[in-house]
């Protein structure tokens, strides 16, 4: 656990799988470069769920990387996601591991639905609430054939959202689809 500068407890889960994940991501060639195909995947996910933000997020020991990113152009300038929306495509695709909810999904290895993050004290104090204005989150893990949770696919909104069962089923289906794409890509390199 860590503390932020104003003394709030930030409950970021301990991630014992991070070294194995980082090694697997390097082996797959993922987690360092923006990928136009993953940007298109994120855009399709955002459109399907009607969300302003969608990400394909790979997580190593220290940070998160949005290899696929969809944002509404020009919003939230000066923040990680807002800078990406403004056109700074690669430099601002990184986020600290203690920001956001994807690290929780990776450690839990289960989808996470937060219709209003402010309803959950554990999640309401996360820096993305104040810095970016995130109020709603829906994410699912990307668990590959080796059993490693590589990262997540997720959508977020600046308004509370009732994602419902349909939203949960959709995010899980997109996660499964992306894992299959990663496997096909890996198999084609062998």
């Amino acid at each position: 656990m860590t503390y932020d500068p104003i003394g709030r407890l930030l409950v970021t889960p301990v991630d014992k799988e991070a070294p194995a994940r980082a090694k697997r991501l390097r082996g797959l060639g993922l987690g360092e470069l923006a990928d136009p195909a993953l940007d298109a995947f994120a855009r399709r996910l955002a459109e399907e769920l009607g969300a302003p933000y969608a990400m394909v997020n790979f997580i190593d020991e220290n940070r998160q990387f949005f290899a696929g990113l969809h944002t509404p152009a020009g919003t939230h300038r000066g923040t990680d996601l807002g800078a990406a929306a403004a056109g700074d495509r690669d430099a601002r695709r990184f986020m600290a591991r203690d920001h956001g909810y994807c690290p929780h999904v990776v450690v839990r290895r289960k989808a996470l639905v937060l219709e209003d993050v402010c309803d959950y004290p554990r999640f309401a104090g996360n820096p993305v609430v104040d810095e970016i204005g995130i109020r709603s989150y829906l994410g699912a893990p990307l668990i590959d054939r080796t059993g490693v949770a590589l990262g997540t696919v997720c959508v977020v909104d600046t308004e509370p959202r009732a994602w419902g069962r349909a939203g949960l089923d959709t995010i899980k289906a997109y996660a499964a689809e992306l894992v299959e794409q990663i496997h096909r890509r890996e198999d084609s390199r062998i």
Side-chain angles (χ1 to χ4, degrees):
M1 289 189 276
T2 59
Y3 295 90
D4 76 0
I6 57 174
R8 292 179 297 181
L9 180 63
L10 299 177
V11 185
T12 302
V14 174
D15 186 358
K16 295 177 183 173
E17 193 177 77
R21 178 181 317 104
K23 181 178 178 182
R24 180 74 173 133
L25 287 170
R26 281 190 302 275
L28 291 168
L30 297 171
E32 291 293 326
L33 298 173
D35 184 330
L38 293 178
D39 285 343
F41 184 91
R43 183 179 59 253
R44 193 166 50 94
L45 176 60
E47 290 169 356
E48 176 85 20
L49 288 168
Y53 296 97
M55 286 78 78
V56 174
N57 187 9
F58 297 117
I59 303 170
D60 66 19
E61 299 101 328
N62 304 306
R63 63 185 183 182
Q64 303 175 66
F65 178 70
F66 304 124
L69 178 64
H70 172 78
T71 65
T75 59
H76 306 296
R77 292 184 189 278
T79 63
D80 290 313
L81 295 178
D88 188 2
R89 293 187 47 82
D90 292 324
R92 303 300 268 173
R93 287 180 180 248
F94 293 96
M95 184 178 283
R97 207 180 142 303
D98 64 351
H99 281 53
Y101 311 106
C102 291
H104 296 272
V105 172
V106 167
V107 171
R108 291 167 29 117
R109 303 173 65 83
K110 291 174 32 176
L112 178 62
V113 179
L114 300 171
E115 293 182 344
D116 186 344
V117 298
C118 293
D119 288 344
Y120 304 89
R122 177 178 188 176
F123 299 119
N126 194 285
V128 297
V129 175
D130 293 334
E131 293 174 16
I132 303 172
I134 300 303
R135 287 292 301 274
S136 187
Y137 174 91
L138 176 64
L142 299 168
I143 301 174
D144 82 344
R145 63 177 145 217
T146 67
V148 173
L150 301 172
T152 68
V153 292
C154 69
V155 291
V156 296
D157 201 334
T158 56
E159 301 292 328
R161 292 280 302 263
W163 300 108
R165 183 68 187 179
L168 179 61
D169 291 344
T170 298
I171 200 79
K172 288 176 163 182
Y174 270 76
E177 177 186 331
L178 185 55
V179 167
E180 286 304 313
Q181 287 179 22
I182 291 168
H183 291 163
R184 283 193 302 273
R185 184 171 124 173
E186 181 181 31
D187 292 344
S188 72
R189 294 187 336 197
I190 295 175

